[in-house]
Amino acid sequence: MPPMGMASTSLLAPTSFAPAAVAATARRSFFSHRPTSSLPAVRLRLTRTSSLVASASASPPRSLDALIFDCDGVILESEHLHRQAYNDAFAHFGVRCPPAADADTPLYWDEAFYDDLQNRIGGGKPKMRWYFGENGWPTSKILETAPSSDEDREKLVDVIQDWKTERYKAIIKSGTVEPRPGVLRLMDEVKGAGIKLAVCSAATKSSVVLCLENLLGLERFNGLDCFLAGDDVKMKKPDPSIYITAAKKLGLESKNCLVVEDSVIGLQAAKGAGMSCIITYTPSTANQDFKDAIATYPDLSNVRLEDLKLLLQESLVTG
């Protein structure tokens, strides 16, 4: 399997909202994977507020009207679950790529490779199309021979993806998966403040629905003001279509929406839609370059709604 070779970049902490001393402390916090709450909360807020007061006459305030969550990697750490489901699907259908098409061992995506792949290409079907295009279309139990026509190739990808989705659902239903720290508390805080709440995921709708129903609970899921999945748009992230569509459905200006993402792919989609974005990275995305995010956190456990409101206002001042 050829290496994909994506260069790692240093993870930078957001410095636009704090002076040099605070920024240096924040960088140490992020590099050691400690939440920004290791900084005194009052100190951060006073610093941000003073900046806003100084700039108030120059720019109108930007209000936080909607908080939009990605699902995989943000609401739950799911990379290893998706990888398991893909490998189970490859084994189930006996998927074998050249030159190992006649070997006994089916295709297997290891952890390092899948981390690289999922941080480059959004959506399950695009991942497989890319991989088979690069490594040769496989033999399998689905077709008698390796597919050569576009129609047969789409059939192969569709069948594998459908089985993988059902396998992923079974893993979620097992009850062993929990939301990432701080997600439910922040969602409740947002809804309680009358701010709109949305989820936009590039994954298959049926699998996202199952995740949200199980992890958020039916009341929170049904209370979402907007929910979009990969099936709802033609182009996957990093294309901004899903966030542009969300803004239209919410009836809001993009500049007043804040996105929570975990990867550069999602960050690019949010920025392309004209939205500010914060990052809650995972172990597989921690070394990506998040310089365009307005803040970067290891998780949401110490992130409060008031922090996000101030960050969004400052993004207008400094952007």
Side-chain angles (χ1 to χ4, degrees):
M1 179 183 301
M4 297 184 64
M6 182 174 69
S8 293
T9 54
S10 297
L11 179 63
L12 300 178
T15 59
S16 61
F17 60 81
V22 176
T25 307
R27 279 193 291 271
R28 289 194 294 273
S29 171
F30 290 132
F31 277 117
S32 60
H33 284 204
R34 291 194 298 269
T36 51
S37 61
S38 59
L39 298 175
V42 174
R43 182 182 179 188
L44 274 174
R45 286 172 181 163
L46 286 174
T47 303
R48 294 175 187 166
T49 303
S50 63
S51 173
L52 288 171
V53 171
S55 306
S57 60
S59 303
R62 175 186 289 189
S63 62
L64 176 57
D65 294 337
L67 187 64
I68 306 175
F69 285 77
D70 178 31
C71 184
D72 291 324
V74 173
I75 294 176
L76 74 160
E77 284 196 30
S78 56
E79 292 92 344
H80 63 295
L81 305 178
H82 283 290
R83 186 175 71 88
Q84 177 185 338
Y86 277 116
N87 286 332
D88 289 349
F90 298 150
H92 177 77
F93 291 113
V95 176
R96 293 172 173 82
C97 289
D102 297 326
D104 293 332
T105 305
L107 174 62
Y108 181 87
W109 286 345
D110 64 29
E111 183 177 354
F113 175 79
Y114 187 75
D115 282 350
D116 198 359
L117 178 65
Q118 65 96 17
N119 287 324
R120 287 171 176 260
I121 302 172
K125 292 182 182 180
K127 285 181 176 66
M128 284 190 283
R129 292 190 194 105
W130 179 88
Y131 184 85
F132 297 148
E134 290 290 313
N135 295 277
W137 286 84
T139 60
S140 69
K141 298 175 184 177
I142 300 168
L143 300 169
E144 291 183 2
T145 59
S148 56
S149 68
D150 290 343
E151 182 180 358
D152 283 345
R153 287 173 176 174
E154 283 306 298
K155 178 182 177 181
L156 177 76
V157 168
D158 288 346
V159 171
I160 295 174
Q161 182 66 29
D162 288 347
W163 196 95
K164 176 263 175 185
T165 298
E166 293 305 312
R167 175 64 182 132
Y168 180 74
K169 288 180 183 179
I171 297 171
I172 297 296
K173 285 180 180 177
S174 69
T176 59
V177 184
E178 295 183 352
R180 293 191 69 192
V183 169
L184 300 186
R185 188 262 313 149
L186 183 57
M187 285 185 168
D188 291 345
E189 195 176 351
V190 167
K191 290 296 287 185
I195 294 171
K196 292 185 177 181
L197 183 66
V199 173
C200 292
S201 171
T204 305
K205 174 165 280 188
S206 60
S207 66
V208 182
V209 168
L210 185 74
C211 283
L212 298 182
E213 289 179 344
N214 279 268
L215 299 179
L216 305 186
L218 288 175
E219 184 176 353
R220 287 191 188 89
F221 175 63
N222 292 329
L224 292 175
D225 297 288
C226 177
F227 164 58
L228 295 173
D231 315 55
D232 296 313
V233 290
K234 292 182 178 179
M235 301 295 291
K236 305 288 188 180
K237 301 173 186 178
D239 186 274
S241 297
I242 197 165
Y243 288 125
I244 293 171
T245 303
K248 291 178 180 177
K249 285 185 173 291
L250 292 167
L252 299 174
E253 293 186 65
S254 293
K255 69 177 184 178
N256 294 328
C257 299
L258 179 61
V259 175
V260 187
E261 277 282 359
D262 70 303
S263 68
V264 165
I265 286 179
L267 173 60
Q268 290 170 344
K271 295 291 289 184
M275 298 180 182
S276 295
C277 182
I278 66 168
I279 292 292
T280 59
Y281 56 82
T282 66
S284 70
T285 66
N287 291 324
Q288 293 184 8
D289 184 359
F290 296 128
K291 65 179 183 298
D292 290 329
I294 62 173
T296 303
Y297 306 100
D299 59 49
L300 295 172
S301 57
N302 292 286
V303 179
R304 298 295 186 267
L305 177 58
E306 287 304 312
D307 301 328
L308 301 183
K309 288 180 178 179
L310 289 169
L311 280 169
L312 189 63
Q313 291 178 39
E314 279 230 337
S315 71
L316 178 64
V317 173
T318 60

